[in-house]
Amino acid sequence: MKKLFISLIIIIVIIGGALIAGRFINFHRLGADTYYVKITKDPKITSGHASDGSAYTDYNYDLPGYSEDGKEKDMEFIAQKNLRKDAYLEVFWKENRGVTSYEEVKKADIPKKAAEQLN
């Protein structure tokens, strides 16, 4: 009975740890290269219907992104909303998948060489 109780506690801890990791770790950012972009133009807007019949709108962006050392790479990504003009984004890019995630950052948080390229 004691072994069963210990095994149950271990299983609960493992499942709880996995749930916490899934909640606080963005796996789309793991192993991704970081680039910085500035929203300078309006997106190309596309609309459609999902398989359940609900309507959706995508905002397609194609902007130059710059790494911490100032190297340029074309960043193509889709947002679910129209992003604010002149906003700065930290973009996460993977070789096989392209842009996997992004978040808005303050200009002061952008590395110097990337910030110089964005201005």
Side-chain angles (χ1 to χ4, degrees):
M1 187 66 147
K2 189 175 183 180
K3 289 182 182 180
L4 179 63
F5 182 70
I6 292 172
S7 298
L8 198 57
I9 296 291
I10 291 172
I11 290 171
I12 290 172
V13 168
I14 291 172
I15 291 172
L19 290 173
I20 290 171
R23 175 74 173 118
F24 294 106
I25 297 174
N26 186 338
F27 292 101
H28 294 292
R29 296 179 182 185
L30 292 178
D33 296 328
T34 304
Y35 290 87
Y36 298 89
V37 302
K38 181 178 181 181
I39 305 297
T40 57
K41 58 184 179 180
D42 292 327
K44 179 182 174 195
I45 299 172
T46 57
S47 299
H49 289 82
S51 59
D52 65 358
S54 62
Y56 66 87
T57 301
D58 285 335
Y59 299 87
N60 301 283
Y61 290 89
D62 186 2
L63 300 164
Y66 300 93
S67 64
E68 290 182 10
D69 56 358
K71 293 183 181 174
E72 183 177 346
K73 181 175 276 307
D74 187 42
M75 298 285 122
E76 293 181 25
F77 61 98
I78 298 172
Q80 303 306 302
K81 63 179 184 174
N82 193 2
L83 301 174
R84 184 174 57 83
K85 266 205 177 160
D86 295 325
Y88 293 92
L89 302 179
E90 182 178 28
V91 176
F92 300 91
W93 184 88
K94 291 184 180 181
E95 181 70 36
N96 297 335
R97 299 184 63 207
V99 175
T100 58
S101 182
Y102 63 87
E103 71 178 328
E104 186 171 346
V105 294
K106 295 178 183 171
K107 184 178 180 180
D109 295 336
I110 298 174
K112 185 178 179 182
K113 287 186 179 181
E116 289 172 357
Q117 296 292 334
L118 290 170
N119 290 326

